[in-house]
Amino acid sequence: MQLKDHSVEALREVFAARGVERWRADQVAGWLYARGVEEVAAMTDLSRELRAELAESWEVRALEVEREQRSADGTVKAVLRAADGARVEAVVIPEEDRNTLCLSTQVGCPLECSFCATGAFGFTRNLSTAEIVDQLCRMRELCGPERRITNLVFMGMGEPLLNLAAVLEAIRLFVHPKAFGLAPRRITVSTVGVVPKIGELLDVAPVHLAVSLHATTDAVRDELVPLNRRFPLDALLGELRRLDTVNRRRPVFFEYTLIAGVNDSLVDARRLPALLRGIPAKLNLIPMNPHEDSRFLPPDEASVDRFLREVAAGGLRVTLRRSRGPDIQAACGQLALRDERAGATAAGALGDRFRV
Ligand code: SAH
């Protein structure tokens, strides 16, 4: 069994069922997560019997660092390997007042968004809770105490809401005071909009929600984000209004990848404020990060600027996201473990119509 698959509450129950006192789970969490100690022999306040049991029938580590790359801008990316050989990428992004870890939730992704390199990479499997949590444990070691990880974003490989049970158990560990003790507002979960799962996520912890929007009409969004055919804009935005995010006092972030000639017209910019009315929305514009699986390109700087000013003029809060770590392929949509693939797959056929 994997220790890190269990929230503190769940571990108390598992321990109790095995005749170990419940509060021992809090001690173990303190060692693993608060102190970052994974050597059972070093957990000196545990009883000799419990240490023997942990060493014999529990596993502690779920991921090992296979490769690490550091960008000129300070961004750190690592390829992490699971016991079955599956690999995922995690990225730490240093900013002025914070260090943000970008977490993966799946090996690849099944959703095939036509502009995303992870989508072209295909889908292998969900990550376990331990594999999600170990991304923080391993990256914390790599970054050291002078670059303490303060924020988490579920914006790496995969769709978090398609692996919700494991993601929720990981979030319970991230926010538990005996484990990592992060404030929920320091955690952001990004989704393309798996509508029936959004409420379930927000019920567990008041984390920030980011929604990958990318279009102002169903016709365009159907092509960019194929899941839109199941959960179209009306259903998605209706659910966000229904969830009463205003009372939760949390903005909903909308991500909008700007792609030249596809979703960057001034008509789109004018539609956005009306489309998101009634939701405490903040729009993040991300110029498309080009990669070899897509012919989509970002608009030129002047067009990005015009788009941004047009959105702001409509009364919607909007910021431009500068990509980090592009020299090590760590930017949004570039996580695809390029060297692991036998042959590059073409981007989804759906994207063809919009290629420039
Ligand atoms: N599946 C979730 C979590 C991944 S977040 C989601 O899509 O929300 C990754 C973010 O990067 C998403 O907003 C995605 O749309 C964006 N992205 C993907 N490919 C990109 C690219 N080539 N350039 C810029 N942003 C991209």
Side-chain angles (χ1 to χ4, degrees):
M1 272 202 288
Q2 261 289 0
L3 274 171
K4 291 175 184 160
D5 272 335
H6 305 274
S7 61
V8 177
E9 295 80 1
L11 195 59
R12 286 177 192 151
E13 296 312 312
V14 177
F15 276 9
R18 294 165 81 111
V20 179
E21 301 100 319
R22 280 167 206 271
W23 52 273
R24 294 286 186 195
D26 298 48
Q27 279 183 305
V28 170
W31 285 109
L32 289 177
Y33 308 121
R35 297 192 228 188
V37 171
E38 299 192 336
E39 196 61 51
V40 172
M43 301 181 183
T44 44
D45 58 357
L46 301 186
S47 68
R48 193 185 301 263
E49 299 81 60
L50 180 55
R51 269 182 280 166
E53 153 139 24
L54 290 181
E56 199 180 287
S57 48
W58 290 83
E59 281 163 81
V60 180
R61 287 168 79 97
L63 295 177
E64 301 297 336
V65 177
E66 183 171 279
R67 196 155 56 92
E68 124 187 39
Q69 283 173 284
R70 293 186 189 245
S71 160
D73 70 14
T75 302
V76 181
K77 179 170 96 171
V79 176
L80 303 168
R81 194 183 57 250
D84 67 353
R87 292 168 172 85
V88 288
E89 295 183 327
V91 180
V92 175
I93 305 150
E95 289 169 283
E96 264 164 41
D97 57 340
R98 62 180 74 174
N99 292 301
T100 303
L101 169 61
C102 180
L103 293 166
S104 293
T105 55
Q106 298 182 312
V107 183
C109 184
L111 291 180
E112 302 190 317
C113 297
S114 56
F115 54 95
C116 178
T118 308
F121 177 73
F123 175 68
T124 306
R125 66 170 173 85
N126 280 334
L127 293 181
S128 65
T129 295
E131 289 164 343
I132 296 170
V133 168
D134 241 7
Q135 292 174 63
L136 175 50
C137 297
R138 296 287 79 78
M139 296 311 275
R140 177 168 73 172
E141 286 164 2
L142 276 187
C143 291
E146 67 285 349
R147 203 180 280 170
R148 207 169 52 83
I149 293 167
T150 56
N151 291 63
L152 302 177
V153 294
F154 285 84
M155 294 188 185
M157 303 174 85
E159 167 52 47
L161 298 196
L162 292 182
N163 186 16
L164 188 59
V167 166
L168 289 181
E169 198 72 343
I171 289 175
R172 290 188 184 99
L173 284 171
F174 293 146
V175 302
H176 198 286
K178 291 280 166 56
F180 293 100
L182 282 172
R185 70 188 151 77
R186 293 187 172 275
I187 300 175
T188 302
V189 177
S190 180
T191 178
V192 297
V194 186
V195 170
K197 301 283 183 187
I198 297 175
E200 221 177 301
L201 165 74
L202 298 179
D203 278 349
V204 163
V207 295
H208 278 118
L209 183 69
V211 175
S212 291
L213 187 67
H214 309 313
T216 61
T217 64
D218 281 322
V220 174
R221 197 164 190 266
D222 280 352
E223 303 295 329
L224 295 178
V225 181
L227 194 76
N228 192 66
R229 292 168 200 183
R230 251 174 81 199
F231 305 115
L233 284 170
D234 253 4
L236 173 59
L237 300 174
E239 175 69 354
L240 295 174
R241 289 192 184 94
R242 195 189 68 78
L243 285 170
D244 209 9
T245 39
V246 188
N247 288 342
R248 294 175 54 249
R249 295 169 181 282
R250 289 272 194 275
V252 178
F253 298 108
F254 287 89
E255 291 149 284
Y256 196 99
T257 299
L258 276 170
I259 307 172
V262 175
N263 62 3
D264 65 338
S265 74
L266 289 182
V267 175
D268 287 308
R270 281 177 208 130
R271 272 195 210 117
L272 278 164
L275 191 67
L276 302 182
R277 195 149 295 147
I279 303 170
K282 279 189 176 176
L283 189 72
N284 289 324
L285 298 177
I286 315 158
M288 167 81 192
N289 290 306
H291 56 82
E292 64 190 39
D293 288 316
S294 169
R295 276 189 268 147
F296 288 151
L297 293 171
D300 60 40
E301 266 186 54
S303 313
V304 171
D305 212 51
R306 263 199 305 276
F307 192 95
L308 182 124
R309 275 187 279 120
E310 195 68 28
V311 171
L316 179 59
R317 287 180 291 177
V318 55
T319 53
L320 180 62
R321 280 291 154 105
R322 294 266 161 230
S323 280
R324 302 292 301 272
D327 53 333
I328 55 169
Q329 311 257 277
C332 293
Q334 293 188 329
L335 302 184
L337 295 154
R338 300 208 163 269
D339 50 340
E340 305 303 329
R341 287 187 292 175
T345 17
L350 294 168
D352 277 318
R353 201 148 46 98
F354 287 112
R355 287 194 184 165
V356 286

